[in-house]
Amino acid sequence: MSHVVSKKNIIYRWINHSSDLGGAIAAFCLLALAVLISYDVCLRYFFGRATTWVQESSVYLCMAVGLLASAYALKTDSHFSVTLLVDRLGPSAQRKLKLLTNTVGFLYSLSFVLKGYEMAVFSYEMEDVSTGLMQFPLWISTGLIPVGGALLALQFLNKLYDAATANGDASSLSAEKN
Amino acid sequence: MTLYIIGFVIAFLLVLASGLPVGFGLGFIAIGLLTLYTDPSTAVTTGVEKAYTALDSSILVAIPLFILAAQLISETGMGKRLFDAAKAFLWRRKSGLAVATIASSGVFSAMTGSSFVSASTMGLIAIPELRKAGYSDRMISAAITAGGSLGSVIPPSIVMIVYGYLTDESVGRLFMAGMIPGLILIVLYSVVLSYFVNRELADSPNDLSQSQGNTAVDTSAAAPAGLSKRTALKEAFWGLMAPAIILGGIYLGVFTASEAAAVAVIYCMFIGFFVYRTLDIKKLAEILMAAASVSAMVVMIVIGGAMLGHVVVYGRVPQQLLEVVISWDLSAGMLMLVINVMLFVLGMFLEVLALMYLTIPLLVPVIAHMGWDNIWFAVIMLINVNLALITPPLGGVLYVVAHIGSIPISTVIRGALIPIGVLLFVLLLVILFPAIATWLPSML
């Protein structure tokens, strides 16, 4: 039994690490976004030149920030949710509602993985590129959807595990998280 | 038709009330509704394609950057220095501290564009000072909720960027449209709060010492020692330069909104690392992670909202709503009243971006049909968004203030009634005098 629990813990931690990694890459993309746009502004006003790639790549970096950090935001409970009514429910009802909402979240994320993967494969096979001067391969940007969706789906599994094992005892849950 | 909309709104509220994060809730409802028109597989494919299309927009680039700028301003101590400067200049009577909170929140909002960051940062800075000066929890709540609500109207505002994105309106013009209403709000908040604070201090000086957490009440009206105006201004100078760069750059056509946000980020990092020396690599990494996290939350709402917007348009709901509105044969004034009552009521129950994504696609044809100026209506919408932030039961800023100040939510709500009253008055002013919103953008 303890072997099973330990295995679950390894998976649980691995999923959390994957969310952290997604968050870290998103954070790097965010910094890159600020630096690249500022570089473009400087180039334009101080050297009278303009890049052809910063504006377009900034859109893709912005996508990466949102999609890759989403699982990390879920892990850190940063997604805005309305808990006014949920907070008034008893522990058992709260647990059941969390199981339901996290299942919905998991299925929603899974749809991003499946359909996003189809979109990315289609773009790759068709050698789709952006219409801008950069001609960016679109399988990379569309590929962010299944990757972000997969990270989210995994984190929703962790949330489901939290809800399933909570039994109204929050302390055991936070201890496990750490 | 009316039953369809009522059913849709009830389903919408139920899903959001379930505790499912708002962004996922919007997307889930959208896919669910799409299955009414088509098979589940096509519904999901359409939903995911709309999600991608929604993100493929250069307007949205400004949002994560302004969120990052807000986190940097908060963490580098710029907010504290601004508050100290405002306090040094505005401390004539005790009520000056409330005015200082409003003024510094206004400047802070002009750098960050986020009501939540503004309320949480100014709350952390100002609440201990307001308590020390003997303010009651109700007045503290009034001051911080009022200051926090400025974030959506005073440019640059994330909510305005989303409005521009949804209606194809110039974000620069929208930013300028918020300037005068924002300044009116600052002045009115200051005047009204001063009145209430002075009345409370005069009426019940003894009661003030009973306020929560108030252990050392300073009842003198003199400014605290060591708060020289010159020093405070010198300290706050770099912080005050940030809105000048952002707004000046946009107004003079030097930057787009996204570029202004990026330059603000680099500027704040420079000040944090080399001027204030409050930033190091470890702290920057933490700030970046936090900003990415908040950005992801917004992006998920944008995705869910875009999917829902597609369903609403696909189902020809705006056109049908327009037909209903035309059949009512209301006067322009009455229609404006109906729309504002609807926005106010929905705002009580919806997160602000969800409110915008739900209502704007529905209202755009009505605005066009009535021949209303889009910029004018944008400001009316934004004031309603401000109200949504501070109206119970789900005004997000209320909970931020309750949490940071350890104030009972019922007290925070009583305090928020003051800024709610002011906002309603300004809303009326903007409706009656559209030039308040449209004059400055027309100069661009």
Side-chain angles (χ1 to χ4, degrees):
Chain A
M1 183 65 190
S2 65
H3 178 66
V4 175
V5 172
S6 158
K7 250 189 172 176
K8 272 184 183 168
N9 272 340
I10 290 169
I11 296 169
Y12 189 96
R13 281 165 203 270
W14 181 83
I15 290 174
N16 276 348
H17 287 319
S18 71
S19 298
D20 291 344
L21 180 65
I25 296 171
F28 176 77
C29 290
L30 184 52
L31 183 62
L33 187 63
V35 171
L36 286 181
I37 295 178
S38 301
Y39 164 77
D40 199 34
V41 172
C42 286
L43 214 57
R44 191 167 70 230
Y45 283 96
F46 296 119
F47 301 99
R49 288 160 49 200
T51 62
T52 54
W53 51 274
V54 166
Q55 193 181 3
E56 201 178 331
S57 51
S58 66
V59 174
Y60 303 127
L61 282 170
C62 181
M63 276 186 196
V65 171
L67 292 167
L68 298 181
S70 194
Y72 176 74
L74 183 66
K75 183 195 154 201
T76 53
D77 290 327
S78 300
H79 284 289
F80 186 88
S81 53
V82 179
T83 58
L84 195 74
L85 294 177
V86 182
D87 290 344
R88 289 170 192 273
L89 298 174
S92 169
Q94 266 191 30
R95 188 172 150 263
K96 282 175 191 161
L97 197 58
K98 275 187 181 165
L99 282 171
L100 177 70
T101 53
N102 286 318
T103 305
V104 169
F106 173 73
L107 293 174
Y108 180 72
S109 313
L110 206 58
S111 68
F112 276 69
V113 179
L114 300 175
K115 295 297 173 184
Y117 176 74
E118 281 176 17
M119 276 172 69
V121 168
F122 182 76
S123 292
Y124 183 76
E125 285 175 352
M126 299 300 289
E127 296 181 1
D128 251 354
V129 291
S130 63
T131 50
L133 289 170
M134 201 179 159
Q135 297 209 311
F136 188 78
L138 290 180
W139 67 266
I140 299 175
S141 55
T142 47
L144 288 168
I145 292 182
V147 172
L151 292 172
L152 253 179
L154 288 171
Q155 190 53 237
F156 268 116
L157 281 180
N158 264 13
K159 292 285 172 185
L160 272 169
Y161 177 68
D162 286 345
T165 55
N167 291 325
D169 180 10
S171 59
S172 67
L173 203 65
S174 57
E176 217 169 70
K177 275 182 181 174
N178 300 324
Chain B
M1 173 61 197
T2 312
L3 276 176
Y4 178 83
I5 290 179
I6 291 170
F8 168 68
V9 171
I10 289 173
F12 188 82
L13 294 177
L14 277 177
V15 171
L16 294 192
S18 70
L20 186 66
V22 170
F24 302 104
L26 294 176
F28 174 69
I29 297 167
I31 290 178
L33 285 174
L34 268 174
T35 55
L36 297 177
Y37 299 107
T38 177
D39 63 280
S41 175
T42 312
V44 172
T45 305
T46 309
V48 175
E49 280 173 2
K50 285 295 150 198
Y52 180 78
T53 316
L55 294 184
D56 194 6
S57 159
S58 56
I59 294 178
L60 296 178
V61 171
I63 294 178
L65 291 170
F66 274 124
I67 290 170
L68 176 57
Q71 298 277 355
L72 282 165
I73 288 162
S74 173
E75 296 293 326
T76 52
M78 272 193 204
K80 171 85 173 86
R81 287 169 170 86
L82 285 171
F83 180 72
D84 285 344
K87 196 168 69 174
F89 280 88
L90 298 168
W91 188 294
R92 295 283 177 275
R93 306 175 64 176
K94 278 284 174 74
S95 57
L97 205 53
V99 179
T101 305
I102 298 297
S104 45
S105 296
V107 177
F108 194 84
S109 299
M111 296 191 278
T112 65
S114 165
S115 289
F116 288 106
V117 180
S118 182
S120 56
T121 305
M122 292 317 299
L124 284 169
I125 296 164
I127 288 175
E129 304 250 6
L130 293 166
R131 281 226 169 97
K132 198 176 168 200
Y135 280 53
S136 70
D137 281 349
R138 181 172 166 245
M139 283 303 126
I140 291 172
S141 305
I144 307 294
T145 49
S149 75
L150 291 169
S152 299
V153 170
I154 292 192
S157 151
I158 289 170
V159 173
M160 281 186 192
I161 296 170
V162 173
Y163 189 93
Y165 167 72
L166 287 173
T167 61
D168 282 334
E169 185 56 75
S170 153
V171 174
R173 277 164 54 84
L174 286 172
F175 279 179
M176 290 309 130
M179 196 83 92
I180 295 175
L183 291 174
I184 292 174
L185 272 175
I186 291 177
V187 172
L188 286 180
Y189 277 154
S190 302
V191 171
V192 173
L193 274 171
S194 294
Y195 167 77
F196 277 104
V197 169
N198 285 331
R199 198 179 73 168
E200 194 175 78
L201 288 166
D203 284 354
S204 53
N206 296 329
D207 290 346
L208 289 170
S209 60
Q210 306 298 319
S211 62
Q212 189 183 340
N214 190 0
T215 49
V217 178
D218 172 13
T219 51
S220 71
L227 199 69
S228 120
K229 283 180 187 173
R230 193 173 166 170
T231 311
L233 190 62
K234 199 175 150 193
E235 282 287 309
F237 172 78
W238 296 105
L240 288 167
M241 284 300 288
I245 293 169
I246 295 169
L247 297 180
I250 294 171
Y251 189 72
L252 296 173
V254 179
F255 309 135
T256 62
S258 312
E259 289 171 348
V263 170
V265 166
I266 300 298
Y267 176 81
C268 292
M269 279 169 52
F270 178 80
I271 299 299
F273 274 119
F274 303 110
V275 181
Y276 291 159
R277 295 177 189 277
T278 47
L279 202 59
D280 55 37
I281 296 294
K282 187 170 173 261
K283 199 168 178 183
L284 177 64
E286 287 168 5
I287 291 170
L288 283 167
M289 288 290 274
S293 187
V294 177
S295 303
M297 181 265 286
V298 175
V299 162
M300 281 296 133
I301 295 176
V302 167
I303 285 176
M307 287 160 78
L308 192 66
H310 173 72
V311 180
V312 167
V313 173
Y314 189 81
R316 297 190 73 255
V317 179
Q319 287 83 352
Q320 293 176 46
L321 182 71
L322 181 62
E323 285 164 18
V324 172
V325 168
I326 291 170
S327 72
W328 285 349
D329 197 23
L330 296 174
S331 66
M334 188 54 78
L335 184 60
M336 183 57 84
L337 179 70
V338 170
I339 289 173
N340 277 283
V341 169
M342 179 193 80
L343 290 174
F344 184 81
V345 173
L346 284 174
M348 291 167 74
F349 300 99
L350 289 179
E351 190 275 337
V352 291
L353 290 181
L355 173 71
M356 293 179 73
Y357 271 102
L358 177 68
T359 56
I360 290 174
L362 295 174
L363 292 175
V364 163
V366 178
I367 299 164
H369 172 74
M370 297 303 293
W372 288 339
D373 187 313
N374 194 30
I375 291 280
W376 175 53
F377 191 80
V379 173
I380 291 170
M381 182 80 200
L382 294 172
I383 295 174
N384 276 289
V385 164
N386 259 8
L387 281 164
L389 284 165
I390 60 172
T391 41
L394 296 181
V397 169
L398 299 175
Y399 294 91
V400 171
V401 176
H403 175 70
I404 287 174
S406 301
I407 301 169
I409 189 71
S410 55
T411 310
V412 177
I413 291 170
R414 280 196 298 123
L417 291 176
I418 297 171
I420 288 171
V422 173
L423 273 169
L424 286 171
F425 178 69
V426 173
L427 178 63
L428 186 68
L429 281 183
V430 172
I431 291 171
L432 294 177
F433 306 104
I436 292 173
T438 56
W439 178 71
L440 204 50
S442 70
M443 305 299 283
L444 272 176

